[in-house]
Structure formats: C-alpha cells, structure tokens
C-alpha cells in the first residue's frame, strides 16, 4: 500500500502470491486473494502493516466492497472439473463464520461485481451473449431482479464517486457511460457515452482505477508486459528436468 501524500509504501503481509487487492469500506484494511499450497484463500490485512488473517477458504477474488463493509468476490470452482465459469458473490467478513452468498450466477461467466457508492446498484460483467458485456441491476437479494445491459462490449466496470457514471474497458481503452438511475421503478437509462483513455496496456482489472474527482488512474506496465506479441520459448526444458531429477537421485 502506498500513501500518496507521504510517498510511503507499506508491504502487505501475504504468506505467498497475492492477487486482487481491495480496500475495505473504512480504508483500514485490504482484502486480497492468496494461493497457499495449491489452495486459494480470501485474506484481510491492516493497511498500517501487521499480520494478515484468513476470511474464507476458496477461489474467491475480491472485486469491491459495499458501503456497509461486505466484500464482493469473483467465485471460481476449481474443485469441479465440469465447471470453468465464474460467478459474482458476496462475503460478510464481520460475521463470526463468514459464508458465501451468490448474487449473479449461471452457466456463463459473471464477474467483476461492484456496488454503487450509495449501495443501491450492482454493476458486473457477463459473457452470456457470447462476448463480454456490462450489466447494471438493483443491489437486492433475490432471484427475480431486473437488469440492464449498459455496454454490449466491455468488462471490469467501476463506478464514479457520485454513482452517475460507470467506467469499463474495451480493447485497451477506458470507456464511460453516464447513467440515470431510478430505484423507485426501478429503471436504468444510458444518457451518454465517452472514450476516456486509450492504450492502457494489457487489458487487466489491475490496470486502472478512478479517483474521487473522476480522473482515470493508470498503472504503467513494464515494456515486456506491453508487448503482447512476444513469445517466450524454453529450449531443452525436458532434458534439464531429467538432468535435475538424475542429480537428485529420483
């Protein structure tokens, strides 16, 4: 974690590789996914430094938090060989024994869930049409919830601070849609579309964020990460493995 005012960096305690960091609602903690011994875990750690702790065991990658502190996650099913899809779920880390609740699921990928700042709307990506699209629905618990496709091509949606604009990625470009949201009916209407930033590098969720004033914060990638045409070939890999096994007596 980097303090932008002081320029100080604080390492987050992770026992192994860590992914998908997300701040808690009060900005006092970071939630992240950690791979440990072949098993994924949802962890939490204080921003000020200190040991991390396990929230839940499972393929749960955090994507955002609700105003009341619950954690939105991408849910994978590595233990089921017949499933390669991803769903949107939610976990309450304050519960004595946190449990996972599915919000959006199905046979296709539903992912990248993020709740609007006022806690009333859920944005997420879905591949149900055969390509990645962005949807918005009321943030209600239940199966019969209306939803609106606000971008037929796009993924990784992010809300603006006022909840009236939704940012997402299309082929290396950050786009935005202006929304008119009515929770009474409910109703969602797209009132404008804008392409904001081009060439953000590899199209990954960690590449950009939105600051409180609505500016796009881009994370610069190394040259080798930007060059998607590069192909790395390892020559003599099998022979090297056999040599190492022979030296170790195996």
């Amino acid at each position: 974690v980097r303090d932008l005012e002081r320029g100080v960096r604080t390492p987050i305690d992770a026992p192994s590789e860590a992914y998908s960091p997300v701040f808690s609602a009060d900005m006092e903690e970071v939630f992240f996914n950690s791979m440990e011994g072949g098993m994924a875990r949802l962890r939490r750690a204080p921003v000020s430094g200190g040991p991390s702790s396990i929230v839940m065991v499972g393929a749960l990658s955090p994507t955002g938090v609700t105003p009341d502190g619950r954690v939105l996650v991408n849910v994978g099913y590595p233990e089921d060989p017949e499933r390669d899809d991803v769903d949107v779920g939610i976990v309450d880390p304050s519960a004595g024994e946190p449990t996972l609740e599915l919000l959006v699921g199905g046979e296709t990928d539903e992912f990248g869930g993020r709740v609007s700042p006022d806690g009333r709307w859920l944005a997420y990506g879905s591949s149900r049409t055969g390509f990645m699209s962005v949807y918005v629905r009321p943030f209600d618990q239940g199966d019969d919830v209306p939803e609106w496709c606000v971008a037929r091509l796009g993924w990784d949606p992010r809300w603006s601070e006022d909840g009236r604009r939704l940012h997402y990625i299309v082929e290396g470009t950050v786009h935005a849609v202006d929304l008119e949201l009515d929770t009474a009916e409910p109703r969602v209407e797209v009132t404008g579309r804008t392409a904001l930033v081009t060439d953000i590098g590899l199209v990954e969720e960690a590449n950009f964020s939105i600051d409180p004033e609505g500016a796009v914060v881009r994370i610069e990638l190394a040259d080798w990460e930007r060059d998607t045409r590069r192909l790395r070939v390892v020559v003599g890999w099998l022979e090297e493995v056999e040599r190492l096994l022979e030296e170790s007596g195996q």
Side-chain angles (χ1 to χ4, degrees):
V1 176
R2 180 175 180 178
D3 188 320
L4 296 180
E5 292 185 354
R6 297 185 299 160
V8 177
R9 294 186 178 184
T10 303
I12 294 299
D13 173 58
S16 62
E17 295 182 353
Y19 308 90
S20 308
V22 171
F23 282 108
S24 61
D26 60 8
M27 304 297 290
E28 296 294 328
E29 293 184 296
V30 172
F31 296 97
F32 59 93
N33 177 270
S34 177
M35 289 296 298
E36 304 166 41
M39 179 68 71
R41 290 171 170 83
L42 176 64
R43 282 184 168 268
R44 67 197 302 174
V47 171
S48 58
S52 64
S53 60
I54 297 174
V55 178
M56 282 191 68
V57 175
L60 310 173
S61 298
T63 59
V65 294
T66 63
D68 62 3
R70 289 173 290 170
V71 183
L72 289 147
V73 293
N74 287 337
V75 184
Y77 304 93
E79 72 285 352
D80 188 344
E82 296 184 359
R83 297 194 63 174
D84 59 359
D85 59 305
V86 180
D87 293 331
V88 175
I90 191 167
V91 174
D92 185 355
S94 66
E97 294 185 5
T99 58
L100 171 68
E101 180 179 358
L102 290 182
L103 296 179
V104 189
E107 297 181 355
T108 57
D109 288 329
E110 274 72 38
F111 56 93
R114 288 181 174 87
V115 172
S116 59
D118 62 5
R120 297 181 176 180
W121 299 91
L122 172 67
Y124 58 96
S126 175
S127 64
R128 69 188 63 169
T129 60
F131 43 84
M132 304 299 186
S133 304
V134 177
Y135 290 81
V136 172
R137 62 188 288 181
F139 183 49
D140 295 333
Q141 309 303 317
D143 297 327
D144 188 19
V145 180
E147 60 184 10
W148 291 262
C149 179
V150 298
R152 294 193 62 188
L153 182 62
W155 54 92
D156 197 24
R158 316 247 174 156
W159 293 95
S160 62
E161 189 78 0
D162 61 8
R164 298 179 180 178
R165 171 172 279 199
L166 198 60
H167 306 80
Y168 57 94
I169 294 177
V170 179
E171 298 297 333
T173 301
V174 178
H175 289 247
V177 288
D178 296 314
L179 302 175
E180 183 176 312
L181 306 170
D182 185 348
T183 56
E185 294 190 23
R187 178 178 59 85
V188 175
E189 181 180 349
V190 176
T191 60
R193 299 183 184 274
T194 309
L196 299 177
V197 178
T198 60
D199 188 25
I200 65 170
L202 294 179
V203 184
E204 296 178 353
E205 63 181 42
N207 282 6
F208 86 103
S209 185
I210 307 299
D211 75 5
E213 297 182 357
V216 176
V217 180
R218 182 178 64 177
I219 298 175
E220 291 290 341
L221 301 177
D223 290 340
W224 69 269
E225 292 178 299
R226 285 180 169 275
D227 189 1
T228 57
R229 298 167 299 175
R230 180 174 298 181
L231 176 65
R232 295 180 181 272
V233 178
V234 179
V235 179
W237 174 81
L238 183 58
E239 290 80 358
E240 178 67 8
V241 172
E242 292 175 345
R243 183 185 67 79
L244 293 174
L245 290 175
E246 184 178 351
E247 288 182 354
S248 64
Q250 298 184 36

